Amino acid sequence: MKHLDQIKRAIFLAAALLMAGSSQAQTLLIPVPLAPPPAAGSISATPAAPVPEPERWTKEDLTHDEQYSTAKKETQAAFHQAKAECQLLTVSEQSNCLTQAKNEMDKEMTAINRRFGIPD
């Protein structure tokens, strides 16, 4: 968990630096050329129709199997994200980070299986 906290702090620091950099960029007195305006024929007169959301975003999980599948997918997605964050660490820290991420996923899957009545 210590490494994940370090990753979170690093991401927060990077975001803060980016925000500070963007506010400073606005105060510079260096002229920045703008892109030329679009040609008159390339602008459409009617607004684009909104893209409908996929059904999987709006459809509630009703059955026991659907709920289990969603919980399992969310846990696996969190593990995948943790693995990607571990890759940002030094080589010596990666092994411990990956072990922690795997242990956390195993613990969550055990809790999910217990909640849905699936034996270990």
Side-chain angles (χ1 to χ4, degrees):
M1 274 325 246
K2 181 180 176 184
H3 295 291
L4 293 177
D5 290 337
Q6 290 174 342
I7 292 170
K8 289 177 184 176
R9 275 193 222 112
I11 291 171
F12 178 77
L13 180 60
L17 290 173
L18 287 173
M19 294 296 289
S22 65
S23 64
Q24 283 182 330
Q26 293 176 358
T27 61
L28 294 177
L29 300 176
I30 301 170
V32 179
L34 300 176
S42 67
I43 300 175
S44 82
T46 59
V51 177
E53 292 182 344
E55 184 180 353
R56 67 180 183 276
W57 291 359
T58 57
K59 182 180 170 238
E60 185 178 353
D61 294 331
L62 300 176
T63 68
H64 204 71
D65 289 338
E66 290 173 336
Q67 293 169 1
Y68 175 77
S69 176
T70 298
K72 184 177 173 183
K73 286 177 190 175
E74 288 174 352
T75 300
Q76 290 171 339
F79 176 62
H80 181 73
Q81 183 177 358
K83 284 190 337 184
E85 290 173 358
C86 289
Q87 298 299 321
L88 301 175
L89 299 174
T90 63
V91 174
S92 61
E93 296 175 323
Q94 285 181 9
S95 177
N96 189 28
C97 180
L98 290 170
T99 301
Q100 286 179 337
K102 176 77 168 102
N103 289 341
E104 185 66 25
M105 183 191 73
D106 290 343
K107 187 169 70 174
E108 288 182 24
M109 283 305 301
T110 299
I112 289 169
N113 288 340
R114 192 175 313 124
R115 186 175 59 201
F116 286 93
I118 298 172
D120 290 334

